[in-house]
Amino acid sequence: MAEASREFFDRSGLAATIARNVSNLEVLLNMGFPKERAEKALAATGDRSVQLASDWIFAHVDDTSLDEKVPREYVLFACPTGPLVTQLDEYSEKTLVHCGRNGSHNSFPHVTLCSFFAVPDSTVPKVVHAVLTVAGRLSCREVPAKVSLDFYSSSSFVGLFVDDRSAAFLRNASQEFANEVLKTTGIEVKAHKKQLHITLAYQFNPSQQKKLEELARDIDTSMPAQWDLRLYSRDTRRAKSDVVRVVHPLPPSNDDELELVRGDYIYLEPDELVSSSDGWLRGVSWLTGCAGLFPGNYTEKAAETDTWTLHRCVPVISLRGSSSTRASAPPLSPTQLPPLPSEPSTLSSTTRAPVPDRRNGPSRPPLEEMYSQVQKSRPVSNSKPAPPRQLYILRHGERVDVVFGKRWMNACFVNGEYSQQDLNLPRKLPSREGSPLSFAEDSPLTEMGWFQARLTGEAMKRAGVHISQVYSSPSLRCVQTADAILDALGLRSAMKIRVDPGLFEWLYFYKASGLPKLMTMKELLDFGLNVDPTYHPIVPVSDWSRTEDVVQYYQRNHTVVQSVLGSTDGNTLICAHAGSLDSCSRHLQGLSARTQREAVKLMVKIPYCGMAVFQEVKEAGIWDQVEPPIHTLTHSPNHKFDWRVLQS
């Protein structure tokens, strides 16, 4: 669908239109989209770009409600960022493990400044302008140096109350926003006048209150934080829906079934989860607006706010007490909006200038032509040339949390002791700091996952594959996979695994949950994994960024691969993640990073222990993909893997 809209955009001859600094709406109208659809698409995507809005329209072509005139609901939040949010995220994770889900897990940390209010799609730009106007006024006033938070608990609520001075500042901002919206649109907004607070827990079982309070008192509210005004919107029709996230893709088998696309969200009626008797649920896709049946075990519970749209984010209270913040640094402009990690914009939302499309990267001549040129320039020699080097990139084996759910630890740990509750669960687990919570974002292999890795290593040995060095992502499942393959190759005593954080998967996947707590080299060694404790990473964890976009992700992986290939004349094995087969090889082939949508669509096609092999074309300065020397590994739910998928 993105390709279709790009083709349409390219055929429309809109260069002159864009150059006139016209609005995204005008561009969409010139492309031929009906005004109502264009306005709805811009509202649903936060007016990020023409490309994203047109993609949204094409994705919703089968949505029977596409042309319904239903306004979205908007709300203004004050949201903290920085070290304080890390504390709040850790509290949310701990309460989920120890006490189960409560109402607070349905959103991120925030202070609500007004009630939800409906806005027609055509009026949204005026509401956005109201946020910027108010932020501009606030920047000229005395701003609180810091927002202080006081702990409060009752039988139905655990939270943090904002101090009086900061609350007055935020209430004033909320009231001015309400006045501005009323003046420019005629829409009434009810600014909150009650005690402002961050909710830590509500709608919980009374028996959990003591534990929730105990965990809340561990939050260090003195940690520095920047506070932003954020304008969000949601689909009015889904305001009371439950939300689940697709974790396993599944094509529909019948006309009444919903296609499951990994990363999509599905809206459910409030009683759908409990009323289903056969595990099949009826829902509506957030991505396409289409409705249908789907198996519930292919999804997991998600926060309602995951489906909301961010329209503006304006810093109003600076980060204090952080060594990385310079006192002389100029404040952010009220019109500055941090980019969302989505499809690259065709138009900048600020300058309206065209953004070059880099998704296909630099062009290169056909491989046949390059090989011909290489042959002509190669000196005549009677000696047999050495075989070209090869790079083997492999996804890890089956992971526990995908098979048994994100909270598998709840059933397996009693008083801190692990017990195998299923034959496919690991027979034993390593001792590590933060256990069992640390396994939530750093899952081990299942027993089947270890067997997959072992089978792959044995097949490589039969095929005569020779490895000179092996590298792994720091994820436990990746290190376990590399260890099993080395053992099967008979190289475990002769070769150690070099663990490099630069090979970790895309950090955007951890933007909401926070970066995972990885095992130390000592913990890996104590568990019996054959890692190299003397290895110095090329990209250490300290270089990670939770705001990493897809281009930076590809570059981070390439930085490591480029370095490790320069350290040997032999073959290299890398054990990492689904996206690694492409992110670690894309630049080696003379191509640039894929777009976010293209990268995610490719990731879901890589099965456990899926392998890609690349061979050096030394004279041309690239590495070309070749057929793997071993057969694919196919079993349920592993689909048959076609290695040529990376060439699409």
Side-chain angles (χ1 to χ4, degrees), residues 48 52 286 310 338-345 506-509 511-512 546-550 595-597 600:
R48 302 300 302 159
L52 193 56
W286 168 79
L310 174 64
L340 293 175
S342 57
E343 291 82 358
S345 301
W506 189 12
L507 298 173
Y508 167 62
F509 295 143
K511 186 174 183 179
R546 288 170 66 178
T547 60
E548 179 181 73
D549 60 28
V550 70
T595 66
Q596 171 175 321
R597 174 171 290 186
V600 173

Side-chain angles (χ1 to χ4, degrees), residues 388-408:
R389 291 189 298 165
Q390 291 187 325
L391 170 65
Y392 297 80
I393 308 176
L394 187 84
R395 187 192 178 191
H396 57 76
E398 182 181 81
R399 51 191 287 180
V400 170
D401 56 351
V402 170
V403 177
F404 295 96
K406 200 72 171 176
R407 303 299 150 212
W408 60 274

Side-chain angles (χ1 to χ4, degrees), residues 5-33 50-51 54 346-347 352-354:
S5 62
R6 285 193 186 95
E7 181 182 354
F8 186 29
F9 183 84
D10 294 339
R11 291 202 322 264
S12 301
L14 297 175
T17 304
I18 298 171
R20 290 191 286 109
N21 281 346
V22 298
S23 69
N24 286 345
L25 176 60
E26 290 178 88
V27 177
L28 289 170
L29 296 180
N30 283 326
M31 292 172 71
F33 291 113
V50 169
Q51 182 67 65
S54 59
T346 302
L347 299 179
R352 310 294 185 197

Side-chain angles (χ1 to χ4, degrees), residues 456-469:
T456 301
E458 291 172 350
M460 293 171 69
K461 184 175 183 179
R462 290 195 301 271
V465 173
H466 296 283
I467 298 296
S468 297
Q469 56 181 3

Side-chain angles (χ1 to χ4, degrees), residues 64-102:
T64 57
S65 65
L66 179 60
D67 295 318
E68 292 181 4
K69 294 184 178 180
V70 180
R72 295 176 68 86
E73 288 185 325
Y74 290 74
V75 68
L76 187 67
F77 285 167
C79 299
T81 64
L84 174 63
V85 175
T86 301
Q87 295 273 318
L88 300 177
D89 289 345
E90 289 177 354
Y91 173 81
S92 179
E93 184 70 23
K94 290 176 182 177
T95 57
L96 196 58
V97 172
H98 291 287
C99 306
R101 199 173 191 89
N102 67 68

Side-chain angles (χ1 to χ4, degrees), residues 36-52:
E36 292 76 13
R37 287 191 178 185
E39 289 174 339
K40 178 175 284 191
L42 290 170
T45 59
D47 199 4
R48 302 300 302 159
S49 72
V50 169
Q51 182 67 65
L52 193 56

